[in-house]
Amino acid sequence: MGKKLVNPVLRGFHPDASILKVGLDYYMATSTFEWMPGIDIYHSRDLVNWRHVASPIQTCFQLDFKGNYNSGSLWAPHLSYSEGYFWLVVTDVKTNTAFKDTLNYLFVSKDITGDWGEPLFLHASGFDPAFFHDDDGKHYLVSMLYDHRLDYERFSGLVMQEFDWHKKELVGKRQRFFKGTDLGVCEGPQLVKKDGWYYLLAAAGGTGYSHAATVSRSKYLEGPYELSPWHPFLTTKDDPDNPLQKSGHACFIEVQADEWYIAHICSRPLQKRGNCPLGRETSLQKIVWENGWPHLANGSHHPDLYVEKPSIAKQIAQKMDFSETVRFTNQDLPASFKSLRMPINRPEISLTDCPGHLRLYGRQSISSLHEQTLLARRWQHFNFIAETEMVFQPANFQQMAGLVLFYDTDNWVYLHVSFDDNQEKKYIQLEENFQNKFHYASDRIYIEKETPLILRVEVTKEVAQFSFKYPEKQSFQLVGSKLRIDGLSDDAIKSGGKLAFTGEMVGICAQDMYDHKSHADFSYFSYLEKHREKE
């Protein structure tokens, strides 16, 4: 069973966790960026095992991500509870130039699994805001201030403004209350009140290997805030051997009286300070309070892979395997499935048009920032096998469908079936795109026209091998050679000058760049951990 909690607790592409306790229930909300349904909320009774219970943003009528740039859209959420409602604050990031259009909205719901309704627009001034509900009944929106002026620093400090719950609007004057620290841009600010002090927990140092979290405090909400002697509060900048790199962006949670933890962001590189294909994940650390200041229970600012379990979880076994096999015989898709920029519930994605199958109707190309038909799930292991069975009858070369390793529209590896107009034959081929440099990674293999195909990819850390077979065959036929795929990561993409901080996905898709009428039918999709990784 193990006495220790093993980090991360949310594995693979679960960044910016906001953690909340309501009664005996714990909830965590994480970023989803350009993937829908938007914002994933998990539930736990023990802080060790987490179950997906909600994704509040389901439709384009709530928020529309079509055309948003890669790694834009839904950034760090903040989840809180007040006035008998769950409050979810999100940022829809539209642009990334000297200007930054960051549209901040509030969603509320009586029930965490219920209807979150329409968004309430708050402001467009900075990103990663959070609500603080003071014990006098007042509510405050806390956020960073972004400055587009060329002769000013982009980060212009933290601001707060009162929110009137009854009027459903920000009221009074926006007040700048914190300038930041020596670690630079201050993001994801969150306030906690304890023993008469206001504690400000914020992310700093960017999103890479210099990432960190800081703590400051004040007797007054509006400040001035003094910096903790435990500074930085959390980082691995000076600890390159730590398995939980890029640690920072954090959120406090009180389990019992005098028992506190933080949920925080982290990444696990394949090699020291190397690429992190699983993206940014969520871990937990125990903290203690000393002379009125919080710090990690291990006495340092470095996170631990193994952490003392919370008192409520001493006898709880931790789930470590997130394999799943989905057979498309139900009326709903699993919560693990995400759709790119578009709602998952739409006519192009059907579980009823071909009973026992998931039918995907091809739309725009795999490079489109608008309307793609692509469903995928997170990588949660460094070593896994993904497999699907597909029936697809393309009529021309502009119709494609298959199995894809996908980071964003500029970075993917795609095992697809299409049609050779000259040979008048169906074929399978592997194409890869790293930073918009396209090339074929295999020859064309001509295949039988009417027969279903089983498509497979086997990932072993930085290497992937694609293959296929006919259902009646025993063995798989390799497609191309083993490929280096660690370029599908934040780190590799950033090295090319692009913004990137989501995570790797594996999934199925269909394109029809002719008349949007062709379709592919999938009978199952499986994602299986290949072998137990050494923790």
Side-chain angles (χ1 to χ4, degrees):
M1 185 176 294
K3 297 180 180 179
K4 298 285 188 178
L5 172 154
V6 184
N7 280 313
V9 292
L10 293 182
R11 299 188 164 223
F13 183 19
H14 287 97
D16 309 323
S18 173
I19 193 167
L20 170 69
K21 182 181 181 183
V22 179
L24 298 177
D25 298 295
Y26 298 88
Y27 302 97
M28 274 206 287
T30 64
S31 303
T32 50
F33 296 87
E34 61 261 42
W35 293 95
M36 289 189 74
I39 304 300
D40 284 327
I41 299 178
Y42 293 84
H43 170 261
S44 178
R45 279 287 181 93
D46 53 38
L47 290 174
V48 172
N49 296 306
W50 296 84
R51 180 177 63 89
H52 183 276
V53 292
S55 293
I57 301 167
Q58 297 277 339
T59 72
C60 291
F61 296 104
Q62 291 174 298
L63 295 179
D64 189 351
F65 305 139
K66 292 193 296 291
N68 287 5
Y69 68 95
N70 291 323
S71 285
S73 301
L74 288 175
W75 286 15
H78 184 260
L79 187 64
S80 60
Y81 187 82
S82 186
E83 307 283 356
Y85 285 84
F86 290 94
W87 301 39
L88 178 68
V89 186
V90 300
T91 307
D92 179 8
V93 184
K94 296 294 189 183
T95 57
N96 181 44
T97 65
F99 295 91
K100 207 174 193 73
D101 293 285
T102 54
L103 311 182
N104 295 296
Y105 298 94
L106 170 65
F107 291 84
V108 297
S109 178
K110 279 277 191 182
D111 183 351
I112 198 83
T113 62
D115 182 5
W116 289 78
E118 298 301 310
L120 174 68
F121 176 73
L122 297 169
H123 65 51
S125 177
F127 50 87
D128 298 1
F131 269 105
F132 172 65
H133 311 288
D134 209 344
D135 48 20
D136 62 359
K138 291 186 176 181
H139 312 283
Y140 298 88
L141 184 67
V142 182
S143 60
M144 58 120 33
L145 181 61
Y146 185 86
D147 196 329
H148 65 270
R149 293 173 293 182
L150 301 181
D151 50 347
Y152 282 76
E153 293 291 330
R154 294 288 174 265
F155 171 65
S156 191
L158 297 182
V159 294
M160 71 170 64
Q161 190 171 3
E162 188 177 350
F163 178 80
D164 189 310
W165 167 252
H166 299 288
K167 294 181 179 180
K168 299 296 187 291
E169 63 182 22
L170 294 168
V171 296
K173 186 178 179 180
R174 181 176 67 185
Q175 182 173 345
R176 199 173 313 189
F177 73 99
F178 190 68
K179 294 182 178 179
T181 71
D182 59 324
L183 298 183
V185 177
C186 188
E187 303 174 6
Q190 300 180 44
L191 284 168
V192 170
K193 193 172 186 180
K194 182 180 185 297
D195 301 329
W197 289 91
Y198 293 92
Y199 291 88
L200 173 64
L201 176 60
T207 60
Y209 283 104
S210 295
H211 197 42
T214 66
V215 171
S216 303
R217 73 176 185 181
S218 173
K219 276 290 186 180
Y220 306 97
L221 177 63
E222 66 275 11
Y225 282 81
E226 60 175 318
L227 187 62
S228 170
W230 298 83
H231 179 70
F233 174 70
L234 174 69
T235 191
T236 52
K237 180 179 179 179
D238 57 346
D239 188 10
D241 293 315
N242 195 300
L244 303 178
Q245 289 292 305
K246 305 181 186 177
S247 288
H249 194 119
C251 188
F252 289 124
I253 188 69
E254 185 177 17
V255 181
Q256 310 274 8
D258 298 321
E259 184 183 5
W260 289 72
Y261 282 75
I262 56 165
H264 71 92
I265 206 169
C266 65
S267 288
R268 292 180 289 162
L270 292 171
Q271 297 89 27
K272 183 186 292 189
R273 294 283 158 95
N275 294 334
C276 305
L278 299 187
R280 299 181 300 159
E281 306 173 286
T282 292
S283 288
L284 293 177
Q285 303 293 327
K286 186 173 184 178
I287 65 170
V288 295
W289 296 80
E290 183 177 342
N291 299 323
W293 290 103
H295 64 80
L296 299 187
N298 64 19
S300 76
H301 55 241
H302 301 145
D304 288 329
L305 185 66
Y306 301 98
V307 174
E308 180 184 340
K309 285 182 179 178
S311 58
I312 56 176
K314 295 298 184 183
Q315 304 303 315
I316 302 296
Q318 184 175 1
K319 178 184 177 181
M320 302 296 293
D321 186 1
F322 300 94
S323 301
E324 67 176 345
T325 297
V326 181
R327 300 196 179 276
F328 300 115
T329 55
N330 298 320
Q331 296 303 306
D332 295 302
L333 291 170
S336 57
F337 273 36
K338 294 289 181 186
S339 175
L340 189 65
R341 289 183 177 83
M342 292 287 289
I344 205 162
N345 295 315
R346 65 183 196 271
E348 295 85 9
I349 299 172
S350 175
L351 286 165
T352 58
D353 288 359
C354 182
H357 294 77
L358 172 64
R359 175 165 287 183
L360 301 184
Y361 290 89
R363 290 296 183 263
Q364 297 175 8
S365 78
I366 197 170
S367 291
S368 175
L369 296 176
H370 296 269
E371 298 186 11
Q372 282 205 49
T373 311
L374 189 157
L375 290 180
R377 60 150 290 158
R378 300 167 174 88
W379 295 14
Q380 292 182 277
H381 309 89
F382 289 113
N383 307 293
F384 67 86
I385 296 172
E387 184 179 295
T388 189
E389 182 179 84
M390 179 182 75
V391 176
F392 179 49
Q393 306 300 343
N396 62 62
F397 73 95
Q398 292 175 301
Q399 298 170 343
M400 308 164 66
L403 178 68
V404 65
L405 297 179
F406 191 90
Y407 185 92
D408 60 23
T409 60
D410 298 337
N411 300 272
W412 41 260
V413 184
Y414 185 16
L415 180 63
H416 65 270
V417 172
S418 189
F419 191 78
D420 187 327
D421 298 270
N422 295 322
Q423 297 289 331
E424 295 189 350
K425 292 181 180 179
K426 190 165 72 169
Y427 68 87
I428 188 168
Q429 191 167 28
L430 187 60
E431 184 175 0
E432 60 181 1
N433 172 26
F434 290 100
Q435 302 189 32
N436 273 336
K437 296 178 181 177
F438 301 78
H439 76 273
Y440 292 116
S442 77
D443 295 328
R444 291 181 180 174
I445 302 172
Y446 292 98
I447 53 181
E448 299 173 23
K449 188 171 184 180
E450 305 298 331
T451 306
L453 291 177
I454 296 176
L455 310 179
R456 170 186 276 204
V457 62
E458 183 174 344
V459 171
T460 307
K461 294 186 176 179
E462 73 276 10
V463 174
Q465 176 67 68
F466 286 83
S467 59
F468 81 99
K469 77 181 186 73
Y470 300 107
E472 68 275 9
K473 300 290 186 180
Q474 292 296 315
S475 59
F476 281 84
Q477 179 178 342
L478 301 183
V479 181
S481 58
K482 291 182 179 179
L483 297 177
R484 284 292 298 259
I485 43 93
D486 54 335
L488 301 176
S489 66
D490 304 352
D491 318 270
I493 296 167
K494 284 181 181 178
S495 70
K498 293 285 188 178
L499 190 70
F501 34 56
T502 57
E504 184 54 63
M505 309 282 277
V506 56
I508 51 180
C509 56
Q511 299 83 30
D512 188 334
M513 296 159 283
Y514 170 53
D515 61 4
H516 291 188
K517 292 181 180 179
S518 66
H519 60 260
D521 294 325
F522 300 84
S523 62
Y524 71 90
F525 178 87
S526 66
Y527 170 93
L528 303 175
E529 182 184 10
K530 194 166 65 171
H531 56 75
R532 170 62 57 210
E533 299 153 13
K534 292 183 178 179
E535 300 296 345

Coordinates of all heavy atoms in Angstrom, one line a residue, residues 55 67 85 277 282 322 428 500 510:
S55 N -16.3 19.1 -16.5 CA -15.6 20.0 -17.4 C -16.6 21.1 -17.7 O -17.4 20.9 -18.6 CB -15.1 19.3 -18.6 OG -14.1 18.4 -18.3
G67 N -9.7 29.6 -33.9 CA -8.8 30.7 -34.4 C -7.8 31.1 -33.3 O -6.8 31.7 -33.6
Y85 N -22.3 28.8 -3.8 CA -21.9 28.5 -5.2 C -20.4 28.1 -5.3 O -19.6 28.7 -4.6 CB -22.2 29.6 -6.1 CG -23.7 29.9 -6.4 CD1 -24.5 30.6 -5.5 CD2 -24.3 29.4 -7.6 CE1 -25.8 30.8 -5.8 CE2 -25.6 29.6 -7.9 CZ -26.4 30.3 -7.0 OH -27.7 30.5 -7.2
P277 N 7.8 15.4 -22.4 CA 6.6 15.1 -23.3 C 5.3 15.0 -22.6 O 4.3 15.2 -23.2 CB 7.0 13.8 -24.0 CG 8.0 13.2 -23.1 CD 8.8 14.3 -22.5
T282 N 0.6 17.8 -12.0 CA 0.3 18.3 -10.6 C 0.8 17.4 -9.6 O 0.5 16.2 -9.6 CB -1.2 18.5 -10.5 OG1 -1.6 19.6 -11.4 CG2 -1.6 18.9 -9.1
F322 N -3.2 4.3 -15.5 CA -4.3 5.0 -16.1 C -4.7 4.5 -17.5 O -5.2 5.2 -18.3 CB -4.0 6.5 -16.1 CG -3.7 7.0 -14.7 CD1 -2.5 7.1 -14.2 CD2 -4.8 7.4 -13.9 CE1 -2.2 7.6 -13.0 CE2 -4.6 7.9 -12.6 CZ -3.3 8.0 -12.2
I428 N -1.6 3.6 -46.8 CA -1.3 4.0 -45.5 C 0.1 4.6 -45.5 O 1.0 4.1 -46.2 CB -1.4 2.9 -44.4 CG1 -1.3 3.4 -43.0 CG2 -0.4 1.8 -44.7 CD1 -1.7 2.4 -41.9
A500 N 4.8 27.5 -26.0 CA 4.3 26.2 -25.8 C 4.3 25.8 -24.3 O 5.4 25.8 -23.7 CB 5.1 25.2 -26.6
A510 N -9.9 12.7 -38.5 CA -10.3 12.6 -39.9 C -10.3 14.0 -40.5 O -10.7 15.0 -39.9 CB -11.7 11.9 -40.0

